Amino acid sequence: MARRRRRPNPGVGPVTPPPPSSLIGAPAMAAPPPIVGDNALVLGIETSCDETAAAVVAGGGRRVLSSVVSSQIDLHARYGGVVPEIAGRAHVELMLPVVTEAVVTAGVADDDVAAVAATCGPGLVGALLVGVSAAKALALVWSVPFVAVNHLEAHLHAAFLDEPDIELPVVVILVSGGHTMLVLMTDRLRFRVLGETLDDAAGEAFDKVARFLGLGYPGGPAIDRLATAGDPDAIAFPRPMLDDGWDFSFSGLKTAVINHVRRHQAADPADVAASFQEAVADVLVAKARRAAAACGARGLCLAGGVAANTRLRELVLDAGMADGLETYLPSPAMCTDNAAMVAAAGWWRLRADGPSPLDAGADPSLRLPGC
Amino acid sequence: MLILGIESATASTGCAVGDRSGVRASVRAAGDRRHAEMLAPQISAVCELAGVSLRDVAAVAVDVGPGLYTGLRVGVTTAMTIASALRVNMVGVTSLDLVAFPVRHTSRSITAVIDARRGEVFCARYRPVPGGVQRVSEPAVSSPEAVAAEIMAAAGEELVVGDGAVRYRSVFDPIRGAEIADRGFACPSAESLVHLACARALREEHVPPEEIRPLYLRRPDAEAKWPAAAGAPTPASGP
Ligand SMILES: [Zn+2]
């Protein structure tokens, strides 16, 4: 059985300052080596919802050596949404193949992995526990730290995987099937939630409208596709809470769409999809622009599955142009749930806070730290 | 051949290490169902108690259920990941075998009954044989009353064991010739798991980690309801 080699630390300690000169002559105190080196490899595992994912990432996101995502969309499609028990079962079956593929694709040996990170929340508890259990098991066998990662924090790191030199602070529009929030990111470990949805997440609204229009599941890509043939100005759907703080509400918009279609049976579904999508993107981007101005942010950044939406991306680009802000639009593969972002976040957390205890559990309603 | 046994398919969580000469150390936490929180620290502790390294483990045994879905997934995922990382084989043992095994010294027939919630139980029947027990029926999910009817039909001396037997005491107690095993035998133990797994590993009844699957015995509710609601063809039933 191979044993872990003690490897010379490739990096430099991040926080420990050199001893002040007045201490010269005092007993030599060696600076504690950093828990994780600058180029250290972290294996990330993500199982918060319906994607089983594993990835190997170097240096907190500087290099993605592998990112494997096994989607369960086909298993859940006929139910029109994710069924927790079906997701939990699938994660167990997919875990070993996905982790193995991530390690093999990365071309690394077990001994090269410096830490194992897993999403511990928010998400479906029965799904989260599969990833957390697998990560702890690997940490035990490899004698490396385990890091419990906040899924929302991981999403905030995703844009850096494509573009490591993002100028901070940025306002991040974090939009997915489960979350809709506006976050001010001042550095890789410091965030402030400026606004959140008060009811449905943006992705949830897309799914519900798509289901009503008979477009199937998942709703986001279906509406995006149909909208290309429609007129975004055809129907003036409400822009809920547009001028009212930084929180969102999409439940009323969803109801307005359903009522409109019921009243106008002849309405072109493409126009409905385009107009609905326009309303969602409009509210998201309008608030993000105001937030960026108010907080002195230098850029706008997209994160989460809904960030793949074509119209949302266009409006963010337009806003950046108009307001002189940098815009960061991660590739769709990094927007949707993946483990590369978990591995990146794990590296940063490990450097800042050290390893997580092995008795850490999953928290289905975990919030962003410091919020 | 050192075996690590992991058991978290019911309300308790436990693990043990041992070999042919016996169990060297075991740890167990009863009852509070915090499987995911307790299991990894228990594995560290049990190795330390036994004075072995995880890397000395030559096979990983796991209780594959039936039982509580979440605990079962935590145990199976942990066990299969450890085995895969160590590149060793696994032995899967059902929870019902594990509750029947400790009462093997009886001369009576044995019915293992594990609480399946929602008014149902998981069950299987056994007969004692030299050195152990032999399962004479496939693990099944059933009502306590149906299990009681089977025991009555057998019309012999019967030992009923497991947390389902304790919970549905009022159903099993009145059966003539039947006795309910002590509460101390109600949950599967990691010690029994290591004991049984050693024997099976010696007979080479082991599998690679990726072939281990939890034994749920029930389909997910959504899947079970789907064909009735939508008139779709019945999907292939699970294991
Ligand atoms: Zn997500």
Side-chain angles (χ1 to χ4, degrees):
Chain A
M1 213 88 13
R3 267 171 209 283
R4 261 193 79 68
R5 278 174 274 139
R6 277 274 147 248
R7 339 181 79 241
N9 220 313
V12 182
V15 283
T16 313
S21 51
S22 63
L23 283 182
I24 289 175
M29 292 261 291
I35 288 164
V36 58
D38 281 358
N39 297 309
L41 299 182
V42 175
L43 172 71
I45 295 178
E46 156 64 36
T47 60
S48 65
C49 192
D50 62 340
E51 325 273 4
T52 314
V56 177
V57 171
R62 236 161 276 157
R63 218 151 53 87
V64 177
L65 280 73
S66 65
S67 178
V68 179
V69 180
S70 177
S71 173
Q72 306 171 6
I73 284 179
D74 294 348
L75 295 179
H76 301 282
R78 63 175 175 166
Y79 305 107
V82 177
V83 181
E85 178 59 22
I86 292 176
R89 293 185 182 197
H91 285 306
V92 176
E93 293 189 16
L94 295 167
M95 184 53 62
L96 288 186
V98 166
V99 167
T100 305
E101 193 185 332
V103 172
V104 169
T105 309
V108 297
D110 297 354
D111 280 0
D112 297 328
V113 176
V116 185
T119 302
C120 67
L124 304 168
V125 69
L128 290 164
L129 286 177
V130 174
V132 166
S133 297
K136 287 183 190 175
L138 291 173
L140 277 174
V141 174
W142 293 342
S143 313
V144 297
F146 158 72
V147 197
V149 168
N150 182 314
H151 181 79
L152 300 171
E153 187 172 325
H155 269 304
L156 297 178
H157 283 269
F160 294 81
L161 297 168
D162 288 328
E163 170 62 68
D165 299 316
I166 291 181
E167 283 187 55
L168 296 166
V170 288
V171 167
V172 186
I173 307 171
L174 171 48
V175 269
S176 70
H179 314 283
T180 298
M181 46 178 67
L182 221 46
V183 182
L184 178 68
M185 192 171 185
T186 47
D187 73 34
R188 294 288 288 260
L189 294 162
R190 262 208 302 269
F191 343 96
R192 188 151 63 91
V193 175
L194 303 170
E196 281 182 272
T197 181
L198 303 176
D199 40 57
D200 290 358
E204 206 178 337
F206 271 94
D207 281 341
K208 286 176 179 171
V209 167
R211 194 183 314 165
F212 182 76
L213 296 176
L215 301 177
Y217 172 88
I223 287 185
D224 200 343
R225 241 175 286 123
L226 183 59
T228 52
D231 174 6
D233 300 319
I235 309 151
F237 285 127
R239 270 44 170 175
M241 301 178 66
L242 185 63
D243 303 309
D244 183 8
W246 289 337
D247 284 332
F248 304 95
S249 165
F250 293 110
S251 166
L253 171 59
K254 168 199 71 192
T255 310
V257 173
I258 291 171
N259 287 342
H260 179 91
V261 174
R262 286 208 174 115
R263 247 177 288 130
H264 306 84
Q265 299 282 341
D268 180 357
D271 285 345
V272 174
S275 300
F276 160 73
Q277 175 177 279
E278 190 71 14
V280 174
D282 203 13
V283 175
L284 288 169
V285 174
K287 294 206 181 210
R289 286 174 77 169
R290 279 213 320 274
C295 302
R298 305 167 76 159
L300 292 177
C301 180
L302 277 175
V306 179
N309 181 269
T310 318
R311 186 59 185 149
L312 179 60
R313 293 171 89 88
E314 283 172 8
L315 286 187
V316 168
L317 281 177
D318 292 350
M321 213 86 92
D323 297 355
L325 296 166
E326 290 293 331
T327 47
Y328 306 100
L329 310 177
S331 57
M334 288 300 142
C335 291
T336 46
D337 287 352
N338 65 83
M341 66 185 196
V342 175
W347 184 92
W348 285 91
R349 270 296 147 205
L350 185 57
R351 269 178 78 116
D353 302 341
S356 304
L358 279 182
D359 65 353
D363 182 352
S365 48
L366 191 64
R367 318 251 317 153
L368 267 177
C371 303
Chain B
M1 182 184 202
L2 194 67
I3 291 192
L4 167 69
I6 289 174
E7 194 295 303
S8 65
T10 63
S12 68
T13 308
C15 59
V17 285
D19 54 24
R20 219 162 27 147
S21 56
V23 169
R24 293 209 216 163
S26 72
V27 185
R28 177 179 191 170
D32 81 346
R33 293 172 62 181
R34 295 172 63 243
H35 307 99
E37 288 87 339
M38 288 187 297
L39 189 52
Q42 280 188 350
I43 293 168
S44 288
V46 85
C47 288
E48 207 175 303
L49 279 171
V52 299
S53 157
L54 203 47
R55 284 156 196 278
D56 302 328
V57 167
V60 180
V62 67
D63 178 349
V64 294
L68 298 171
Y69 294 165
T70 300
L72 186 52
R73 279 197 279 272
V74 166
V76 168
T77 304
T78 303
M80 64 174 18
T81 310
I82 288 177
S84 170
L86 290 172
R87 297 181 172 86
V88 300
N89 279 324
M90 294 188 72
V91 180
V93 181
T94 75
S95 55
L96 294 160
D97 287 8
L98 292 175
V99 292
F101 179 73
V103 296
R104 62 193 175 277
H105 302 297
T106 181
S107 57
R108 293 173 281 192
S109 292
I110 301 162
T111 299
V113 186
I114 287 179
D115 187 7
R117 312 285 151 125
R118 305 182 210 168
E120 291 184 314
V121 291
F122 301 119
C123 64
R125 301 193 65 217
Y126 297 80
R127 62 187 174 89
V129 292
V133 293
Q134 185 183 38
R135 193 168 65 215
V136 293
S137 74
E138 282 305 303
V141 59
S142 179
S143 71
E145 292 74 19
V147 177
E150 257 181 71
I151 296 171
M152 276 187 273
E157 296 279 293
E158 191 94 13
L159 190 58
V160 192
V161 63
D163 63 357
V166 174
R167 172 156 186 188
Y168 296 104
R169 180 176 289 281
S170 61
V171 178
F172 299 110
D173 238 359
I175 304 173
R176 191 217 282 268
E179 190 190 338
I180 295 169
D182 282 354
R183 199 173 271 276
F185 292 101
C187 282
S189 83
E191 279 120 320
S192 298
L193 173 60
V194 167
H195 208 108
L196 280 175
C198 278
R200 293 189 192 179
L202 280 174
R203 295 197 299 267
E204 304 212 328
E205 292 173 12
H206 46 54
V207 295
E210 56 276 11
E211 286 179 21
I212 289 281
R213 287 287 176 272
L215 183 62
Y216 296 106
L217 287 184
R218 278 198 289 233
R219 285 192 290 153
D221 287 348
E223 206 175 292
K225 284 181 195 138
W226 176 258
T234 309
S237 59

